[in-house]
Amino acid sequence: MKDIGDLLGRIFLSFIFLYEAYDSIFYMKATKATMTEYGINWQQDFLLFSAIAVLVLGGLMILSGYRASLGAFMLLLYWVPVTFIVHSFWNDPPDEERLQAIMFMKNIAITGGLLMVWVNGSGRFSIKRLFATAKVPNA
């Protein structure tokens, strides 16, 4: 049961980041406008394309289980600063404070999931384990 839980957890966790990459690609103008709104003006194209690359690569690494710990670490380097920048509920007006606090706590929970993958690895059902246990036929 633990192995199935690890697999399902990795699938659900990776979809958050893969969807965010999709959203950033297909709504690039809106994403850049949001970055400007939060004061991220330095090298927006570089930062946006780097973020998309980290989201796709890290999400696929967690999904497949191949170097899932490295993928989780990469996503943590992106996710933690973004959480504190975008969902800084302590700076928001009272009418937005509650929603931003909920979004902040959601991101903290996702951070916990990433930390669990980083520390525990991918589990039994992963591409890495499949490659390690595959037998190559003799010629």
Side-chain angles (χ1 to χ4, degrees):
M1 188 66 185
K2 178 191 178 314
D3 299 327
I4 300 285
D6 285 340
L7 177 63
L8 288 174
R10 281 194 352 258
I11 290 170
F12 292 145
L13 194 57
S14 68
F15 281 161
I16 293 166
F17 300 105
L18 294 173
Y19 180 78
E20 186 168 341
Y22 160 82
D23 188 71
S24 296
I25 291 168
F26 285 98
Y27 299 102
M28 197 164 290
K29 260 188 187 177
T31 303
K32 284 184 181 181
T34 303
M35 290 171 73
T36 303
E37 183 180 320
Y38 285 104
I40 304 170
N41 297 318
W42 179 81
Q43 297 287 328
Q44 273 190 344
D45 289 333
F46 171 74
L47 291 174
L48 183 56
F49 289 122
S50 298
I52 291 169
V54 166
L55 289 167
V56 170
L57 189 60
L60 289 175
M61 290 170 90
I62 287 177
L63 179 63
S64 68
Y66 183 74
R67 304 233 182 224
S69 295
L70 177 61
F73 179 72
M74 289 171 29
L75 288 170
L76 280 167
L77 290 177
Y78 164 80
W79 196 251
V80 172
V82 166
T83 297
F84 281 92
I85 292 169
V86 175
H87 301 298
S88 58
F89 63 91
W90 50 90
N91 293 327
D92 289 333
D95 58 330
E96 291 181 32
E97 187 175 324
R98 182 169 178 249
L99 176 63
Q100 289 302 320
I102 291 169
M103 298 298 281
F104 180 85
M105 292 303 161
K106 173 203 54 103
N107 280 16
I108 294 299
I110 292 168
T111 301
L114 286 172
L115 286 170
M116 290 178 73
V117 172
W118 184 24
V119 171
N120 297 320
S122 60
R124 182 173 166 206
F125 299 125
S126 68
I127 296 294
K128 185 176 181 180
R129 172 90 36 132
L130 182 67
F131 286 151
T133 59
K135 296 184 184 204
V136 179
N138 293 332

